[in-house]
Amino acid sequence: MHELSIAMSIVELAAEEAERRGVKVEAVHLKVGALSGVVPGALLSAYELACEDTPLQGSRLVIEEVPIVVYCANCQAERTLDSMQLFCCPVCDTPCGDVRHGKELEVVALEIP
Ligand SMILES: [Zn+2]
């Protein structure tokens, strides 16, 4: 399962950081882009599994979903897309392939009591 291996690497990373600082992690904040291929709901359940028997057991995963943002050369502006099927500027309808956001899959913060 794709999400489980991602969850495990997040837990591993957070556990290492917690150990190095000698603290307990209460929550992990993660940015998940709409194009990252990760299903937030599935990742949440995978995270619980991955936390079992680790120093992160009982911690929370907080997911911040990042929408798809493309750069429209015609408008010379960044545009947020509502759908990932249509890579067209929502304002002028020009096809846009220049993705600026939405591929994120990164830990942004660890919450420590
Ligand atoms: Zn445009």
Side-chain angles (χ1 to χ4, degrees):
M1 194 172 131
H2 181 57
E3 273 80 9
L4 187 56
S5 63
I6 294 167
M8 285 169 83
S9 54
I10 294 168
V11 169
E12 200 174 303
L13 188 147
E16 260 174 38
E17 187 66 23
E19 194 179 329
R20 199 170 54 200
R21 296 202 228 164
V23 292
K24 193 177 179 322
V25 174
E26 214 154 70
V28 176
H29 290 249
L30 185 75
K31 269 191 182 176
V32 175
L35 291 172
S36 66
V38 171
V39 181
L43 187 58
L44 284 174
S45 359
Y47 181 80
E48 271 185 37
L49 268 179
C51 280
E52 272 177 29
D53 299 322
T54 76
L56 269 86
Q57 191 157 12
S59 69
R60 288 176 299 125
L61 181 66
V62 182
I63 295 179
E64 183 193 330
E65 292 183 53
V66 182
I68 306 167
V69 176
V70 295
Y71 181 78
C72 175
N74 192 38
C75 300
Q76 300 198 334
E78 289 187 350
R79 303 287 187 206
T80 304
L81 301 186
D82 298 327
S83 149
M84 61 177 90
Q85 269 79 43
L86 265 173
F87 276 84
C88 286
C89 174
V91 177
C92 70
D93 233 16
T94 301
C96 305
D98 190 357
V99 178
R100 294 291 167 92
H101 296 287
K103 292 178 179 167
E104 290 85 350
L105 183 61
E106 57 192 63
V107 173
V108 281
L110 298 179
E111 223 173 274
I112 287 155

